[in-house]
């Protein structure tokens, strides 16, 4: 059976350009920090990739620090702000755990910015909170994901950026899900991205740090990445990241497939809830629930049908429990037994959607007969 993969928000297929770039880089033997010709050759590969990633992010390439993934990039931003004197941090309730759990790890006092029932960050709450900021809490630090990894709901980053700037604070935009799916026009002190979400290799990420943003390496060691990230650099992985960034194209057409999938589900499921349906979402993402079926059971049954989906963000896979995102939205009553996320890509076809719907209908017929 040919498997159908509909979990591209967790990780997507590696692009052939990225594979080729990595193979070529593996034949360059120098350490990129060495000054001899072999070292300069390896460093040249990194420089080319840095330019490509910077262009895709819409930022100055020289301000990009390569990391071991989006999680490390987020952690680095939080750690940099904490060590620079930010004594109170604000995280959107729709943030990825890589941001707020870093604050918890280091004992940083923090609060969560509420979201509404559509999953959109409450900017009125944020405005009031920043206007009443206490000087003893140091410089404000605000973190917001450009798009939620579960619902795909796009967040009001521009409005948040203006508020944080007016308050003299620092802003982290987690753009891991946005890169390659949304225009990258963010103005922030820190912007995090990850290679494997766009067809690059797993285990490589990048953090944009504005020239005047505090910077503190998480790792103790050498002076790589202008002393902002110690450790010998992953030349092949970075090469693959750069090639994937260069190969990015317009995926807006995938929205038609997402809409086809949701329309088909609505015909099959009168009690279907699609979370964030009434606001802007990533064009490839659908997070939905039916009140009478458990998400883990549905996911496993789809897996047996040869279809890969998820029950939410990949960092929580293997765990059975409520969605933190849906809890923050106040809509757990709409998903008493969990929710399913499908995330498509430019590889997805209309036939793939039809296959998913046919398998879903088959699974649900069996469930109803057994009830």
């Amino acid at each position: 059976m040919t498997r159908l993969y509909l979990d591209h928000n967790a990780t997507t297929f590696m692009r052939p350009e990225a594979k080729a770039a990595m193979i070529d880089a593996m034949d360059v033997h120098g350490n990129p920090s060495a000054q001899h010709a072999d070292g300069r050759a390896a460093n040249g590969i990194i420089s080319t990739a840095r330019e490509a990633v910077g262009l895709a992010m819409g930022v100055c390439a020289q301000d990009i620090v390569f990391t071991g993934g989006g999680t490390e990039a987020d952690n680095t931003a939080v750690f940099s702000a904490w060590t620079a004197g930010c004594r109170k941090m604000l995280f959107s309730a729709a943030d990825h755990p890589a941001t707020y759990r870093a604050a918890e790890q280091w004992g940083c006092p923090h609060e969560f910015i509420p979201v509404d029932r559509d999953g959109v960050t409450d900017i009125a709450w944020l405005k009031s909170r920043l206007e009443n900021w206490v000087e003893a809490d140091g410089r404000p630090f605000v973190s917001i994901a450009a798009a939620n990894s579960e619902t795909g709901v796009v967040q009001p980053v521009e409005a948040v950026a203006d508020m944080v700037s007016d308050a003299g604070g620092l802003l982290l935009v987690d753009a891991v899900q946005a890169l390659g799916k949304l225009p990258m026009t963010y103005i922030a002190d820190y912007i995090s991205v990850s290679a494997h979400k766009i067809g690059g290799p797993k285990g490589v990420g990048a953090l944009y740090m504005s020239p005047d943003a505090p910077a503190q390496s998480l790792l103790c060691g050498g002076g790589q990445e202008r002393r902002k990230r110690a450790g010998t650099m992953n030349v092949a992985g970075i090469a693959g990241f750069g090639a994937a960034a260069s190969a990015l194209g317009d995926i807006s057409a995938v929205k038609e497939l997402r809409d086809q999938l949701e329309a088909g589900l609505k015909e099959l499921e009168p009690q279907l809830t699609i979370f964030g349906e009434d606001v802007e979402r990533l064009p490839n993402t659908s997070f939905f629930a039916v009140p009478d079926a458990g998400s883990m059971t549905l996911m496993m049954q789809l897996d047996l049908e040869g279809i890969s989906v998820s029950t939410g963000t990949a960092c929580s896979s293997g765990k059975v429990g409520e969605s933190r995102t849906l809890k923050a939205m106040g809509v757990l009553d709409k998903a008493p037994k969990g929710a399913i996320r499908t995330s498509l890509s430019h590889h997805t076809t209309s036939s793939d959607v039809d296959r998913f719907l046919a398998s879903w209908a088959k699974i649900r017929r069996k469930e109803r007969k057994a009830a």
Side-chain angles (χ1 to χ4, degrees):
M1 179 190 300
T2 300
R3 290 196 61 85
L4 172 57
Y5 187 82
L6 299 178
D7 196 19
H8 292 277
N9 280 10
T11 194
T12 194
F13 304 151
M14 188 176 288
R15 294 177 180 270
E17 299 93 338
K19 291 181 182 179
M22 293 181 72
I23 291 170
D24 289 344
M26 289 177 186
D27 287 330
V28 178
H29 307 297
N31 186 311
S33 297
Q35 299 303 307
H36 49 62
D38 294 304
R40 293 196 302 274
N43 189 56
I45 292 171
I46 293 173
S47 295
T48 299
R50 200 186 306 273
E51 290 291 337
V53 174
L55 183 62
M57 293 177 68
V59 299
C60 237
Q62 66 183 13
D63 297 323
I64 290 174
V65 174
F66 285 114
T67 66
T71 293
E72 185 191 333
D74 283 336
N75 281 203
T76 299
V78 173
F79 187 61
S80 294
W82 172 240
T83 56
C86 294
R87 290 296 170 259
K88 179 63 71 68
M89 298 186 170
L90 304 179
F91 299 94
S92 169
D95 259 16
H96 189 279
T99 62
Y100 63 84
R101 284 185 180 166
E104 292 171 357
Q105 176 72 23
W106 297 310
C108 314
H110 58 282
E111 300 174 22
F112 288 105
I113 310 165
V115 297
D116 63 21
R117 287 183 69 85
D118 289 316
V120 179
T121 300
D122 188 342
I123 58 174
W125 185 97
L126 177 61
K127 183 175 185 294
S128 175
R129 184 68 182 83
L130 290 174
E131 287 176 347
N132 293 281
W133 197 257
V134 178
E135 186 175 347
D137 288 335
R139 193 175 181 184
F141 175 85
V142 176
S143 171
I144 185 169
N148 180 264
S149 60
E150 291 183 328
T151 63
V153 169
V154 176
Q155 302 297 327
V157 175
E158 289 78 8
V160 171
D162 289 342
M163 292 178 188
V164 175
S165 177
D166 290 344
L170 295 169
L171 175 64
L172 163 63
V173 175
D174 181 332
V176 167
Q177 290 296 339
L179 183 63
K181 301 170 192 167
L182 296 173
M184 295 289 288
T185 57
Y186 308 123
I187 299 175
D189 300 282
Y190 307 100
I191 304 173
S192 60
V193 294
S194 183
H196 72 108
K197 307 294 188 180
I198 65 167
K202 302 173 185 70
V204 183
L207 177 66
Y208 163 78
M209 309 176 83
S210 69
D212 57 351
Q216 180 64 53
S217 176
L218 281 174
L219 306 175
C220 298
Q224 292 90 349
E225 291 292 80
R226 302 181 307 286
R227 301 191 178 279
K228 294 179 180 179
R229 202 269 186 177
T232 300
M233 299 164 76
N234 178 0
V235 179
I238 291 169
F241 192 1
S246 295
L248 286 175
D250 182 12
I251 70 158
S252 58
V254 79
K255 181 180 181 298
E256 296 179 10
L257 298 175
R258 194 271 308 277
D259 293 346
Q260 175 189 339
L261 184 149
E262 292 182 345
L265 281 172
K266 287 177 181 178
E267 290 183 6
L268 296 169
E269 302 285 356
Q271 293 183 292
L272 182 77
T273 297
I274 300 172
F275 301 103
E277 181 181 16
D278 296 326
V279 296
E280 183 184 1
R281 290 177 290 162
L282 295 174
N284 75 317
T285 305
S286 182
F287 196 41
F288 53 87
V290 287
D292 61 336
S295 60
M296 288 298 293
T297 300
L298 287 169
M299 183 189 72
M300 289 186 289
Q301 289 176 326
L302 286 165
D303 192 35
L304 292 173
E305 290 287 316
I307 301 175
S308 297
V309 299
S310 76
T311 58
T313 188
C315 66
S316 299
S317 52
K319 299 180 182 178
V320 179
E322 63 187 23
S323 162
R324 180 181 173 276
T325 300
L326 297 186
K327 183 178 180 179
M329 292 164 64
V331 294
L332 282 177
D333 59 310
K334 300 292 185 180
K337 297 184 178 181
I340 291 289
R341 183 189 68 187
T342 60
S343 44
L344 320 182
S345 81
H346 64 283
H347 295 281
T348 310
T349 66
S350 181
S351 296
D352 292 336
V353 173
D354 289 341
R355 176 180 167 187
F356 170 84
L357 293 171
S359 293
W360 180 276
K362 174 184 172 183
I363 289 166
R364 296 290 277 151
R365 281 194 302 270
K366 287 183 179 179
E367 285 185 344
R368 289 172 182 133
K369 285 182 180 179

